[in-house]
Amino acid sequence: MEGRDIGTRVFPDTPLKFFLTAPDSVRAERRFRELAERGTPQPYEEVLAEMKERDRADETRADSPLRFDDSYVRVETGGMSPAEVVAELERRVRRN
């Protein structure tokens, strides 16, 4: 399950919570490629700027801001493929 406040408000006592992250440049490159594949390409600089603005808005909004706390396992996905991310999460779940 995913969502802004699933782990901090809805299910705060869930025993294993992940917060997936990657550097802005990697996230923007992923989005840039996704848009191009959909047939709606945008300049990389525009994608990066929009992503940073969305992050800022998500983190500072009054209602359900994007947050994670010490109960989350932060997973850096910058150098990983989607399959590698899934494998890493599965490895961590099995370890617990």
Side-chain angles (χ1 to χ4, degrees):
M1 178 175 279
E2 67 174 273
R4 297 190 290 264
D5 57 0
I6 294 300
T8 54
R9 286 187 171 196
V10 179
F11 299 114
D13 298 323
T14 298
L16 192 55
K17 299 181 275 190
F18 297 108
F19 189 88
L20 306 181
T21 189
D24 290 347
S25 60
V26 171
R27 294 172 49 233
E29 179 64 29
R30 290 172 179 169
R31 180 71 174 149
F32 173 79
R33 281 185 275 143
E34 177 186 12
L35 291 170
E37 289 170 7
R38 285 185 184 174
T40 56
Q42 293 181 11
Y44 172 82
E45 294 78 15
E46 186 176 311
V47 172
L48 178 61
E50 287 176 359
M51 185 197 66
K52 286 182 177 184
E53 175 54 29
R54 187 177 56 247
D55 286 350
R56 187 201 60 74
D58 287 348
E59 293 168 358
T60 60
R61 70 176 154 251
D63 184 29
S64 298
L66 176 64
R67 295 211 171 111
F68 70 97
D69 59 28
D70 291 341
S71 66
Y72 283 77
V73 175
R74 186 178 172 115
V75 180
E76 171 58 54
T77 67
M80 302 169 117
S81 70
E84 290 170 326
V85 172
V86 170
E88 175 64 14
L89 297 179
E90 183 177 336
R91 182 185 68 76
R92 291 177 185 235
V93 167
R94 290 183 187 279
R95 189 171 66 197
N96 278 351

